[in-house]
Amino acid sequence: MDTLIVEKIGLVNTAGTMPGRFLNDVLQGLRANNKYIDSKYFYDAKGDVLFQQIMECPEYYPTRCETEIITRQSAEIAKALLSQLPSFDVIELGAGDARKSIHLLQQLQKQQHAFTYFPIDISSNVINQLETGLPLQLASLPVKGLHGEYFNMLEKAKKLSSKPKVVLFLGGNIGNIPLEKVSTFCSSLRQHLMPGDLLFIGFDLKKDPRIVLDAYNDKAGYTSRFNLNLLRRINDELDGNFNLKHFTHYPTYDPGNGTCKSYLISNTKQDVQIAGTTIHLKAGETIHTEISQKYSMEQTDGLAAENGFRPLKHFFDSRRWFLDTIWQCV
């Protein structure tokens, strides 16, 4: 979800504790020739709820595909991880509600592995819920939530524990990074890990373009409300006056390069005020809000090899629409 990792990789808080940065990012994006809003700002409390609703939609297959992988193959995944690292802590990038990773955490506990779970998320709401709720579901599991940008929090986790690391990057979140930036991200991630550390990462694979496009334009309208929530948040936190009825959610998918993008389209010529600044919008002008990249198997293996990782084992759902794979730092 481009700038989605521009980022969930990324910055700080989605709950408004840095209004100056939020304002600067919004104005920079909306003053650009091709307007955009960094998708990291999807995730305030209302955005978190809307995304949970998206994941329940019949059209939104990625969650179901990856859930199938992890629920049905968690024992095999845990065994593969433990065969490489007999002792490690678990770090999850963009943990969300941990509804998928909890199955793997449970399996690691069953295999009598003692570890600390470090969920990282830019939503303080998410971190608070995980620190409160997970210990009730997984007795004796130490949970240390880290609220902030991925790489900063990886460094913090390394200071908190010297154990080797297994990093979870689930949900196809790697797809929120534009193709031209994904190698830089993977290389940076590798630099924050040690040789032998493991990365368990999810990729949404290329498939029938109609299936992909429907996932970002569900009939119930949750994806539309999720995108429009960005404008609502600007109104609430930055003294904006967007009229949400004057915008339409519009997704596109290019099956050739595997890039799915979401836009908000201005339905009319209009001027919008944000913290006293006027933004001019033409009728039909677009605001880019999100990217979700789809991959081939060859691309995923190549991405690993190019950036200091070795693919060890692949796990697929029954339709082979989604891939979870273990990469080892070399």
Side-chain angles (χ1 to χ4, degrees):
M1 299 178 169
D2 174 7
T3 329
L4 201 157
I5 275 181
V6 170
E7 317 161 302
K8 269 192 159 202
I9 300 175
L11 235 104
V12 206
N13 139 11
T14 79
T17 61
M18 294 190 66
R21 184 59 183 266
F22 184 18
L23 177 61
N24 290 341
D25 286 352
V26 167
L27 292 180
Q28 178 179 324
L30 293 181
R31 286 168 171 164
N33 290 332
N34 296 312
K35 290 181 171 58
Y36 66 91
I37 302 174
D38 285 355
S39 56
K40 61 174 172 264
Y41 294 118
F42 279 137
Y43 295 95
D44 65 348
K46 291 182 180 178
D48 290 342
V49 171
L50 283 166
F51 189 65
Q52 300 306 317
Q53 293 171 324
I54 288 172
M55 290 194 294
E56 299 294 337
C57 290
E59 298 94 338
Y60 194 74
Y61 64 85
T63 298
R64 290 192 302 279
C65 289
E66 192 172 40
T67 298
E68 177 192 324
I69 293 170
I70 295 178
T71 55
R72 295 184 181 182
Q73 303 179 63
S74 60
E76 187 178 354
I77 296 166
K79 182 179 178 181
L81 296 173
L82 289 165
S83 70
Q84 298 295 323
L85 290 175
S87 176
F88 56 79
D89 284 323
V90 176
I91 300 174
E92 183 165 11
L93 307 182
D97 64 0
R99 68 171 62 187
K100 288 177 290 190
S101 52
I102 191 172
H103 298 285
L104 181 56
L105 301 178
Q106 287 173 330
Q107 189 58 231
L108 289 170
Q109 283 192 323
K110 286 181 182 179
Q111 298 193 22
Q112 298 182 334
H113 178 63
F115 62 96
T116 298
Y117 174 57
F118 294 95
I120 296 174
D121 207 282
I122 59 170
S123 171
S124 57
N125 179 55
V126 160
I127 293 299
N128 291 337
Q129 290 180 356
L130 289 175
E131 288 189 324
T132 302
L134 264 185
L136 300 177
Q137 300 177 68
L138 299 174
S140 76
L141 175 64
V143 178
K144 175 58 180 175
L146 300 174
H147 170 223
E149 181 270 332
Y150 287 175
F151 297 146
N152 287 345
M153 294 303 100
L154 276 172
E155 288 303 309
K156 185 172 182 178
K158 286 163 64 175
K159 293 177 181 177
L160 292 171
S161 171
S162 60
K163 281 186 177 181
K165 302 294 186 287
V166 168
V167 176
L168 311 181
F169 194 30
L170 305 179
N173 283 339
I174 189 76
N176 301 146
I177 308 172
L179 268 179
E180 66 272 16
K181 296 180 180 180
V182 71
S183 284
T184 299
F185 171 77
C186 289
S187 177
S188 297
L189 178 57
R190 171 61 187 87
Q191 291 171 20
H192 285 80
L193 301 173
M194 300 297 292
D197 284 350
L198 300 175
L199 175 65
F200 186 60
I201 182 170
F203 290 92
D204 194 3
L205 299 177
K206 291 180 179 179
K207 59 187 66 64
D208 186 324
R210 292 166 294 187
I211 294 170
V212 174
L213 198 55
D214 286 349
Y216 298 89
N217 196 28
D218 65 281
K219 292 179 181 178
Y222 290 118
T223 46
S224 175
R225 291 196 286 277
F226 184 64
N227 273 266
L228 288 166
N229 185 62
L230 274 169
L231 306 186
R232 188 277 313 160
R233 185 176 179 194
I234 292 170
N235 287 349
D236 289 352
E237 298 182 25
L238 301 180
D239 194 25
N241 69 344
F242 282 101
N243 186 333
L244 274 58
K245 294 181 180 178
H246 291 172
F247 293 86
T248 301
H249 163 69
Y250 184 76
T252 67
Y253 180 59
D254 183 338
N257 62 21
T259 302
C260 186
K261 294 183 178 180
S262 292
Y263 297 89
L264 293 171
I265 299 179
S266 176
N267 298 327
T268 183
K269 181 180 178 181
Q270 57 185 308
D271 288 341
V272 176
Q273 299 293 320
I274 302 172
T277 298
T278 301
I279 300 296
H280 305 285
L281 289 148
K282 303 172 185 175
E285 191 168 6
T286 61
I287 302 173
H288 179 218
T289 58
E290 180 183 20
I291 187 169
S292 184
Q293 184 65 40
K294 313 307 173 186
Y295 284 87
S296 68
M297 280 297 305
E298 294 76 16
Q299 283 177 299
T300 68
D301 285 348
L303 192 61
E306 293 164 8
N307 294 288
F309 296 95
R310 179 190 300 113
L312 295 182
K313 193 170 180 64
H314 297 323
F315 301 88
F316 299 94
D317 65 289
S318 57
R319 290 177 292 191
R320 297 181 75 90
W321 284 3
F322 202 94
L323 165 70
D324 280 318
T325 182
I326 298 174
W327 290 358
Q328 184 178 52
C329 295
V330 296

